[in-house]
């Protein structure tokens, strides 16, 4: 748990003076005008057809935002800025391997997005076909997303670190027959083969898939391509100079699908709409990240997750900002990598995750101290609770005690930020995200849905819809209702359940405590314990497995797997390796358990349920409390001993 500190920080006057939003009256304005207040977000976009209504609640919790409106996301992120005279303005800056850089102006972006959109169409992609994108952090990733958006084909970006199996599961679930991937990519100086993972995934699919392959490694692609695989570069050449009119989409049409982890072994396809999502991403980028077209803005998250979708691609580009992306890791070739990038690009606003900040802290302040970070105006964090110590370190050593910090709570499902201070208005309290954003109905409630007293632990919910919200889960309206809406709704009062625990203070500041379900957050990567467990129990010789999150100094949470074997097998190193391999094959190396602890049995209640809480306590070396309700209390000592030897 990350308690908030009692300290308070005010935004510097110099920031407030230039802030996009600095009038505290905005909270009341939104309340008094709800839901019409949300027109303000839609006004940030250009619409082909004006919407008839702001919000249609008639089929709640299947809400519709801006129904009747029509627009195109790629037009809003590119064309309109060119029409406004910004064609030479940098849209995208990319930092590849050391010192390898590329800049795309809005005109360059327009050219490549159009050529790729034309090529995809020629390959057979039609409106509403889901295109899977499996690319690392190279400019072709946002370009492919925008090309899909241009022709009305929803994209489903799968994080490049996912395994072949995970890619196949997601393509199958989304009925996707198109894939954009690359030959490989660089990480810590090594070249990784991405295409072999993609090829393996395709072998497991029972449908024909058309693939576009980006040549990232600079080796000849030709001989490695099959009949239905196309070289990205050649496609661009054959479509050089071609333009495609942006397809007008209904506000409610799907812009993209994003798979995320939940409480079951099956990942969920979260659906985001074109109108509400884009309006909300643009609005929060303006109000919370304070983005302006002349800014160079950097979100260090991978575009393979929602943060990169909303706050590297759609939000900043909708506002005509320069958005930066980088390939690799913060400590390669050395621990100054990020600060060098900030200095070289004179970054104005920087958005990252607490796990990264904790790593910077551990490495020491001398790395940022060597660089000129004075261009920074605002800092942000997302993805996990930030402890006050890390907050203060970030404030002092990166922000020079001169930049407000926005600690933004949100989720894949919410599409954009929900709880945060507004940087030009709010007092900051390290460790506490802040009040709900204007118009957002985030609340902390007890199990029965009643508001809780300040300081008590409760559940974080939202008692009103918002434009950036997801619309449903792909092909699974039932799970959408059951998991997110049924736990706290009563009658027609629909309440969204986030899956997080939280506290609230007397001033309405919310401190997020973390997940209360079987989802864990490892270095900002969201994982379901069930997904990991099913990979482990698939290993011959394993009888049962329980996976829990234990606290970890830099990663926030680490994965602890408790495993019992069947009669055929004694636990040994080989089995441990198999277990780790199996998790890497099913999900990816980022899901690798920190520890695999063998135990003759898992601790169970008399009714046979695995006591996960107890395992969590063991992983965290916390007091175990009462174990007398266990059917097999004797295993506890053995597990503790095995964990210590590990
Ligand atoms: C956690 C990432 C505390 C939370 C945008 C949530 C946070 C999960 C914060 C969603 C924050 C996100 N403080 N916890 N500022 N932001 N979380 O879907 O547990 O990858 O439910 O979206 O991250 O993770 P997801």
């Amino acid at each position: 748990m990350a308690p908030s500190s009692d300290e308070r920080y005010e935004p510097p006057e110099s920031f407030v003076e230039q802030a996009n939003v600095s009038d505290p009256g905005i909270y009341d304005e939104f309340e008094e005008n709800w839901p019409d207040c949300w027109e303000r977000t839609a006004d940030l976009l250009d619409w082909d057809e004006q919407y008839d209504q702001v919000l249609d609640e008639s089929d709640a919790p299947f809400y519709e935002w801006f129904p009747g409106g029509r627009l195109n996301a790629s037009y809003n992120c590119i064309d309109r800025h060119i029409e406004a005279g910004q064609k030479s303005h940098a849209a995208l800056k990319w930092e590849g391997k050391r010192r390898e850089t590329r800049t795309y102006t809005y005109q360059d972006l327009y050219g490549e997005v159009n050529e790729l959109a034309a090529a995809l169409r020629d390959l057979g992609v039609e409106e509403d076909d889901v295109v899977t994108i499996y690319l690392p952090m190279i400019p072709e990733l946002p370009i492919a997303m925008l090309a899909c958006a241009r022709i009305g084909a929803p994209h489903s970006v799968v994080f490049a670190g996912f395994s072949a199996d995970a890619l196949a599961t997601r393509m199958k679930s989304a009925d996707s027959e198109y894939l954009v991937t690359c030959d490989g990519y660089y990480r810590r100086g090594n070249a990784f083969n991405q295409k072999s993972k993609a090829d393996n995934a395709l072998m497991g699919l029972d449908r024909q898939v058309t693939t576009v392959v980006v040549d990232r490694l600079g080796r000849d692609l030709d001989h490695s391509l099959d009949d239905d695989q196309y070289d990205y570069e050649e496609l661009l050449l054959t479509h050089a100079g071609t333009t495609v009119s942006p397809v007008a989409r209904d506000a409610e049409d799907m812009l993209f699908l994003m798979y995320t982890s939940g409480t079951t072994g099956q990942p969920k396809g979260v659906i985001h709409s074109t109108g509400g999502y884009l309006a909300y991403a643009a609005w929060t980028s303006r109000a919370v990240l304070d983005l302006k077209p002349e800014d160079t803005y950097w979100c260090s998250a991978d575009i393979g997750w929602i943060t990169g979708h909303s706050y590297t691609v759609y939000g900043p580009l909708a506002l005509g900002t320069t958005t930066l992306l980088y390939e690799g890791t913060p400590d390669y070739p050395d621990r100054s990598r990020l600060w060098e990038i900030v200095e070289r690009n004179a970054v104005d606003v920087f958005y990252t995750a607490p796990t990264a900040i904790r790593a910077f802290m551990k490495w020491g302040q001398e790395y940022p101290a060597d660089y000129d970070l004075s261009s920074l105006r605002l800092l942000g964090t997302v993805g996990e609770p930030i402890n006050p110590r890390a907050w203060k370190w970030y404030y002092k050593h990166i922000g020079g005690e001169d930049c407000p910090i926005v600690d933004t709570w949100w989720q894949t499902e919410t599409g954009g930020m929900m709880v945060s201070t507004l940087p030009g208005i709010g007092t900051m309290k390290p460790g506490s995200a802040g009040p709900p954003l204007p118009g957002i109905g985030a609340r902390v409630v007890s199990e029965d849905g009643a508001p809780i007293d300040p300081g008590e632990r409760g559940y974080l919910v939202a008692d009103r819809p918002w434009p950036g919200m997801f619309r449903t889960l792909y092909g699974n309206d039932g799970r959408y209702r059951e998991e997110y809406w049924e736990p706290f709704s009563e009658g027609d009062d629909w309440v969204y359940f986030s899956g997080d625990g939280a506290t609230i203070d007397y001033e309405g500041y919310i401190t997020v405590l973390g997940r209360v379900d079987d989802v864990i957050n490892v270095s900002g990567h969201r994982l379901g314990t069930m997904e990991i467990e099913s990979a482990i129990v698939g290993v011959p010789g394993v009888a049962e497995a329980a996976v829990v999150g234990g606290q970890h100094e830099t990663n926030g949470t680490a994965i602890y797997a408790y495993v019992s074997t069947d009669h055929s097998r004694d636990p040994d190193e080989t089995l441990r390796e198999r277990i780790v391999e199996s998790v890497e094959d099913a999900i990816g190396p980022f899901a690798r358990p920190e520890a695999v602890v063998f135990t003759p049995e898992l601790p169970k209640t008399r009714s046979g349920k695995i006591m996960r809480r107890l395992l969590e306590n063991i992983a965290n070396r916390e007091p175990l409390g009462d174990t007398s309700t266990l059917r097999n209390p004797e295993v506890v000592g053995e597990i503790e001993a095995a964990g210590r030897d590990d």
Side-chain angles (χ1 to χ4, degrees):
M1 169 173 167
S4 64
S5 75
D6 299 331
E7 283 171 276
R8 308 166 70 91
Y9 292 75
E10 299 303 327
E13 202 46 47
S14 55
F15 183 90
V16 176
E17 278 165 12
Q18 60 78 63
N20 287 338
V21 179
S22 56
D23 177 4
I26 190 168
Y27 291 95
D28 287 343
E29 253 172 63
F30 268 69
E31 286 309 313
E32 285 156 17
N33 261 320
W34 207 94
D36 290 343
C37 54
W38 294 113
E39 288 207 63
R40 197 161 163 159
T41 69
D43 287 348
L44 294 172
L45 306 179
D46 279 10
W47 296 77
D48 296 320
E49 238 167 81
Q50 189 58 23
Y51 45 88
D52 309 322
Q53 204 183 338
V54 172
L55 169 64
D56 179 354
E57 303 190 72
S58 57
D59 191 26
F62 300 94
Y63 295 93
E64 294 196 356
W65 284 93
F66 312 119
R70 290 176 81 78
L71 76 167
N72 180 279
S74 133
Y75 175 84
N76 272 283
C77 289
I78 310 172
D79 308 40
R80 64 172 179 153
H81 306 312
I82 295 174
E83 288 163 14
Q86 295 299 310
K87 69 176 190 180
S88 314
H89 188 54
L92 215 70
K93 282 189 165 187
W94 177 68
E95 292 266 349
K97 286 181 304 177
R98 189 153 172 96
R99 302 249 168 229
E100 182 193 13
T101 60
R102 275 195 241 162
T103 299
Y104 292 73
T105 62
Y106 274 92
Q107 185 67 39
D108 297 335
L109 189 61
Y110 176 84
E112 194 156 327
V113 165
N114 270 283
E115 287 163 6
L116 183 62
L120 289 174
R121 233 188 216 165
D122 274 358
L123 292 176
V125 179
E126 290 179 7
E127 210 177 325
D128 296 318
D129 285 346
V130 175
V131 177
T132 303
I133 305 177
Y134 186 50
L135 286 173
M137 288 290 277
I138 54 177
E140 288 80 358
L141 170 51
I143 288 168
M145 291 162 71
L146 293 162
C148 289
R150 195 162 191 89
I151 56 175
H155 52 74
S156 166
V157 177
V158 176
F159 173 60
F162 269 117
S163 66
D165 281 359
L167 172 64
T169 310
R170 285 157 181 74
M171 288 190 73
K172 215 180 282 174
S173 157
D175 308 307
S176 177
E177 293 176 345
Y178 298 92
L179 174 67
V180 182
T181 186
C182 63
D183 52 353
Y185 62 97
Y186 296 100
R187 208 175 148 86
R188 296 186 197 283
N190 299 316
F192 279 81
N193 192 335
Q194 187 77 347
K195 184 158 179 296
S196 67
K197 279 201 290 179
D199 286 340
N200 284 338
L202 298 187
M203 275 194 299
L205 293 179
D206 53 6
R207 64 171 66 97
Q208 199 65 22
V209 172
T210 305
T211 309
V212 176
V213 186
V214 177
D215 176 359
R216 168 72 191 110
L217 299 179
R219 300 166 189 166
D220 193 12
L221 271 186
D222 271 357
H223 53 266
S224 66
L225 298 181
D226 294 339
D227 286 349
D228 43 10
Q229 300 187 324
Y230 299 85
D231 180 346
Y232 178 96
E233 204 55 49
E234 271 176 27
L235 288 176
L236 292 191
L237 283 175
T238 47
H239 293 84
T242 313
T243 56
V244 172
S245 312
V247 172
R249 299 278 282 166
D250 277 343
E252 278 299 309
D253 278 342
M254 180 181 3
L255 177 60
F256 66 85
L257 245 179
M258 164 115 258
Y259 279 89
T260 191
S261 296
T263 48
T264 71
Q266 274 306 312
K268 311 184 271 198
V270 168
I271 292 187
H272 280 292
S273 69
T274 308
Y277 169 82
L278 193 62
Y280 197 69
W283 160 248
T284 44
S285 296
R286 198 182 121 73
V288 184
L289 295 173
D290 198 50
L291 295 190
K292 310 193 167 55
E294 57 277 17
D295 283 336
T296 298
Y297 155 74
W298 184 18
C299 164
S300 73
D302 196 291
I303 297 175
W305 308 105
I306 192 71
T307 306
H309 277 54
S310 302
Y311 300 114
T312 295
V313 183
Y314 286 113
L317 292 179
L319 297 180
T321 307
T322 301
T323 186
L324 196 144
L325 52 146
Y326 93 114
E327 179 191 37
T329 50
D331 58 350
Y332 189 86
D334 58 54
R335 293 170 170 181
S336 304
R337 172 101 193 268
L338 300 194
W339 318 125
E340 196 189 318
I341 294 177
V342 170
E343 181 183 282
R344 186 166 49 244
N345 295 282
V347 171
D348 298 273
V349 177
F350 180 62
Y351 190 36
T352 194
T355 184
I357 299 167
R358 288 190 299 265
F360 306 149
M361 259 172 92
K362 205 163 118 187
W363 299 339
Q365 65 201 56
E366 57 274 25
Y367 295 98
D370 276 349
Y371 291 85
D372 178 5
L373 307 182
S374 62
S375 59
L376 290 171
R377 171 176 97 243
L378 172 67
L379 302 174
T381 83
V382 58
E384 316 152 66
I386 179 163
N387 49 308
R389 223 179 112 233
W391 193 102
K392 284 187 251 175
W393 191 91
Y394 194 34
Y395 186 74
K396 182 164 180 198
H397 297 289
I398 308 303
E401 301 185 320
D402 206 24
C403 301
I405 296 181
V406 283
D407 172 359
T408 61
W409 175 84
W410 60 291
Q411 311 178 291
T412 304
E413 293 86 342
T414 70
M417 300 156 176
M418 300 285 281
V419 176
S420 170
T421 51
L422 286 172
I425 300 177
T427 301
M428 295 163 273
K429 302 185 196 179
S432 175
L437 290 177
I440 293 297
R443 313 273 177 257
V444 184
V445 298
S446 63
E447 203 138 324
D448 55 12
I452 52 143
D453 291 335
E456 299 280 306
R457 277 165 175 265
Y459 300 93
L460 185 49
V461 301
D463 64 7
R464 277 187 306 201
W466 63 99
M469 65 191 293
F470 66 143
R471 295 305 192 261
T472 189
L473 297 176
Y474 190 80
N476 208 339
D477 288 349
R479 192 169 172 193
Y480 170 80
R481 283 178 84 107
E482 283 152 29
E483 279 188 21
Y484 296 100
W485 299 94
E486 283 175 4
F488 287 94
S489 302
E490 260 179 59
D492 283 338
D493 290 334
W494 291 100
V495 175
Y496 167 81
F497 176 44
S498 67
D500 276 316
T503 62
I504 188 160
D505 71 10
Y506 284 100
E507 290 171 300
Y509 275 52
I510 293 172
T511 295
V512 181
L513 303 172
R515 305 288 309 197
V516 294
D517 53 11
D518 296 328
V519 171
I520 49 181
N521 217 319
V522 180
S523 303
H525 297 154
R526 182 167 153 183
L527 292 160
T529 52
M530 279 276 288
E531 289 169 73
I532 307 171
E533 284 166 11
S534 55
I536 298 177
V537 294
V539 176
V542 170
E544 278 190 310
V547 165
V548 299
Q551 282 157 23
H552 188 276
E553 198 189 339
T554 43
N555 301 346
T557 311
I559 299 166
Y560 286 81
Y562 296 90
V563 179
S564 66
T565 56
D566 61 24
H567 303 301
S568 70
R569 182 84 209 201
D570 283 331
D572 59 14
E573 269 323 295
T574 322
L575 186 61
R576 195 189 302 274
E577 277 163 28
R578 292 236 168 97
I579 288 171
V580 171
E581 263 168 35
S582 177
V583 174
E584 294 194 347
D585 287 347
I587 305 169
F590 62 95
R592 199 184 161 91
E594 171 87 6
V596 176
V597 178
F598 289 113
T599 164
E601 263 183 90
L602 294 171
K604 291 192 179 159
T605 60
R606 295 221 167 84
S607 62
K609 267 186 77 178
I610 297 173
M611 288 272 284
R612 287 162 187 287
R613 283 268 159 254
L614 188 78
L615 290 170
E616 247 171 61
N617 292 342
I618 294 175
N620 289 321
R621 309 199 176 203
E622 285 165 354
L624 301 184
D626 184 11
T627 56
S628 64
T629 54
L630 286 181
R631 189 174 68 189
N632 51 356
E634 68 286 353
V635 301
V636 173
E638 293 180 47
I639 300 175
E640 283 185 299
R644 268 195 294 276
D645 299 342
D646 192 60

